[in-house]
Amino acid sequence: MGAEISARSFTGEDRRMFRSKVRDCMKALERMLREDVFVDVHSSPEPHLGMEIEFNLVRDDMSPAMSNLEVLQAIDDHAVFQTELGQFNVEMNVEPRRLTGDEPFELEESLRSSLRRADERMHLHDAQLVMIGMLPTLELDDLERGRITANPRYEALNEQIFAARGEDIELDLDGVPLPGSDVVETLRADMNSVVPEAACTSLQLHLRIAPEDFATHWNAAQCLAGAQVALAANSPFLAGKALWHESRIPLFAQATDTRPLELRNQGVRPRVWFGERWIDSVLDLFEENSHYFTALLPEVSDVDPMAELDAGRIPELRELQMHNGTIYRWNRPVYDISDGHPHLRVENRVLPAGPTVLDTMANAAFYYGTLRALTDAAERNLVLGAKFGLDAKLYWPRTGWVGADELVLRCLLPLAHQGLEAYGLSAAVRDRYLGIVEGRALTRQTGAAWQRRQVARREAAGENRRTALLGMMKDYVQNMASGTPAHEWE
């Protein structure tokens, strides 16, 4: 969720000053790009794999555990585990590793070790971590305002979104029939908080790249989004309803929408934004942010970024980063400073969490590999992939409309192998992780597909929806703990 803030309310003068400071930050960033201040990227050319994983907390009975602060205190590893918006969430920040050789194996083992250590420390709180894109046992009552984690940033963000919108948030989603059924289930609700956003738990992948390569990688990430969510879908249920295979995509957009109906009708851009065009520079994205979106958290610092540059220092560009953190692009530009050096990252935000550590690493390998080789695709694929998973028909240049599974097997997996080899990753890494992706496409079983089939089977045996979801979640957690990748789950 980005930097902490101290204020809960803001004045019109705060907003004017913030807008001016964002423009100053833009000028400073443009100068830094022009003067090649990012030269350190060239002296360390190996790309780095970085990730953030959001988890749900559940009790032994699979209901959500509203105890993230107590759990984090028990885990006692603040460098790795942090709060998230909802009381039933925590976030894990994985230390970046080089994207070369066998380095991802070390990252995989580090991730497993951190999770084992956390699991050992939190059992007294009747809570366990679950990697899943959307917790099926969440009910609408769990998404009320009182479930926001006690933190000034989360509370201010909630207040500012509702102040901009001027009315309750509308959740409005038509589902996809479960296997063996023709029934289209619907979710309709008015919500008094942004906590439904917290129901959308994700895997966020970061790639640090040189400024001159940013536009190519961001454009390629846009192309890849539809296939990513089709292949990794793991968010089919919310509030007892069978929705999309990857329901995070529409739900997150609706839960953070600052536009009332009239502004939507006028074509005002949403804060969860795919984008409208290819870019030529990272500046294109930051300029769109400053031109199209009002500030939600306009807290202003005393630092002059141009003066910092004149003094030979690297500016934090705090206002630019704060504003960027409240605009939820599915592929988001990131400016940051590490070890005293500035850098740029593409943050890929379309993927759900889970189902297992191995699935997570496979999703990362597939993304980084195809991103390295890919150059073209279409926005519509994102919606189709999210809605239908591997049942989706996606459009691909020179191929036409093709099934998502066939697209992965015929086109994207070879690209992923090629891209990972170009990074210098070993054949063992490529085969281990991309083999998981191949298995998923061959069996057509994602985390979402497995959840949907299990619930459909249980309901066919006479269970009601709530009982079916609870039973499915118990099996899900057992499978997750086994570490067996999702496409092999019975």
Side-chain angles (χ1 to χ4, degrees), residues 388-403:
F388 296 107
L390 285 173
D391 295 329
K393 297 290 185 182
L394 304 178
Y395 182 79
W396 205 250
R398 294 189 293 275
T399 300
W401 291 97
V402 60

Side-chain angles (χ1 to χ4, degrees), residues 29-40:
L29 179 59
E30 185 176 11
R31 175 177 161 183
M32 293 169 70
L33 292 170
R34 187 174 63 249
E35 297 178 356
D36 204 16
V37 176
F38 295 87
V39 68
D40 70 290

Side-chain angles (χ1 to χ4, degrees), residues 121-139:
R121 296 177 178 179
M122 59 189 287
H123 274 314
L124 292 177
H125 295 276
D126 186 17
Q128 57 184 310
L129 299 172
V130 176
M131 284 193 292
I132 193 168
M134 193 168 288
L135 186 61
T137 52
L138 276 171
E139 298 292 345

Side-chain angles (χ1 to χ4, degrees), residues 63-216:
S63 63
M66 303 294 177
S67 55
N68 61 351
L69 297 181
E70 295 87 345
V71 163
L72 289 173
Q73 185 176 9
I75 294 174
D76 193 25
D77 191 351
H78 304 297
V80 176
F81 290 94
Q82 299 174 359
T83 60
E84 256 295 340
L85 174 66
Q87 294 175 4
F88 50 89
N89 299 142
V90 296
E91 180 179 84
M92 181 182 190
N93 295 303
V94 181
E95 183 178 356
R97 299 293 183 104
R98 291 184 303 165
L99 196 56
T100 187
D102 285 339
E103 290 275 347
F105 288 162
E106 296 182 15
L107 187 146
E108 179 186 345
E109 182 51 39
S110 174
L111 178 55
R112 292 184 190 280
S113 296
S114 294
L115 292 177
R116 283 195 297 267
R117 193 161 52 248
D119 185 63
E120 291 169 357
R121 296 177 178 179
M122 59 189 287
H123 274 314
L124 292 177
H125 295 276
D126 186 17
Q128 57 184 310
L129 299 172
V130 176
M131 284 193 292
I132 193 168
M134 193 168 288
L135 186 61
T137 52
L138 276 171
E139 298 292 345
L140 294 178
D141 289 345
D142 298 321
L143 306 178
E144 298 291 336
R145 183 168 182 168
R147 299 306 188 182
I148 297 176
T149 299
N151 180 297
R153 180 185 173 95
Y154 304 144
E155 294 165 358
L157 185 65
N158 184 77
E159 291 173 5
Q160 294 301 310
I161 286 178
F162 274 86
R165 185 181 175 88
E167 58 189 56
D168 283 353
I169 286 173
E170 299 176 74
L171 302 183
D172 187 355
L173 189 58
D174 292 331
V176 176
L178 288 174
S181 171
D182 296 325
V183 177
V184 175
E185 301 180 29
T186 61
L187 178 65
R188 306 277 190 272
D190 292 336
M191 306 300 298
N192 65 357
S193 79
V194 296
V195 179
E197 173 193 336
C200 307
T201 39
S202 65
L203 165 67
Q204 296 157 24
L205 299 174
H206 291 255
L207 181 65
R208 174 178 165 173
I209 46 181
E212 63 268 24
D213 297 328
F214 189 93
T216 300

Side-chain angles (χ1 to χ4, degrees), residues 260-274:
L261 177 61
E262 294 78 10
L263 292 184
R264 295 202 300 272
N265 290 340
Q266 293 175 40
V268 173
R269 293 162 180 82
R271 295 194 88 89
V272 178
W273 196 31
F274 185 82

Side-chain angles (χ1 to χ4, degrees), residues 44 58 110 151 153 155 225 278 284 340 345 348 371 400 424 428 440 445 459 464 474:
S44 179
V58 300
S110 174
N151 180 297
R153 180 185 173 95
E155 294 165 358
W278 307 126
D284 295 345
R345 302 195 303 267
N348 179 255
L371 185 67
R440 241 185 263 162
Q445 179 157 292
E459 290 183 344
N464 61 33
K474 284 186 177 294

